[in-house]
Amino acid sequence: MSAVTPLNGAELIDCARASASQGLLAATQQCGYGDDTMKFTAALKEACQSRGIHVEQLSDLLTDRLSAQRSGGVEIAPDSNSNL
């Protein structure tokens, strides 16, 4: 279902991530930007940047890099399931 008004912020990022595999135009339409891919891309970059997420293009939302960038910390885990 497409948004009636253009999404922004976290809602835009979530919608873009959910529809990123369908391509730029589909994501643009799903997020309420009609056929205006330039406006959608600018809004998406702004939304991501305000949350400390670096996104160059829509396909960046499909990678595991996003979660690594968002965490900003170091993962501490045991060496194995039996060795803490």
Side-chain angles (χ1 to χ4, degrees), residues 4-81:
V4 177
T5 59
L7 299 176
N8 55 40
E11 288 131 359
L12 174 58
I13 296 169
D14 290 342
C15 179
R17 182 183 298 148
S19 53
S21 63
Q22 298 171 10
L24 179 61
L25 186 56
T28 302
Q29 292 169 345
Q30 291 294 322
C31 295
Y33 287 84
D35 293 334
D36 194 347
T37 57
M38 296 293 283
K39 188 174 179 180
F40 166 74
T41 303
L44 180 59
K45 285 183 180 183
E46 181 180 326
C48 289
Q49 188 175 41
S50 71
R51 285 159 180 74
I53 302 168
H54 180 72
V55 173
E56 289 293 323
Q57 55 191 359
L58 182 63
S59 63
D60 291 345
L61 294 175
L62 295 173
T63 66
D64 291 335
R65 267 190 357 189
L66 182 61
S67 61
Q69 289 176 344
R70 189 178 287 171
S71 67
V74 176
E75 181 178 335
I76 300 174
D79 293 332
S80 68
N81 290 335

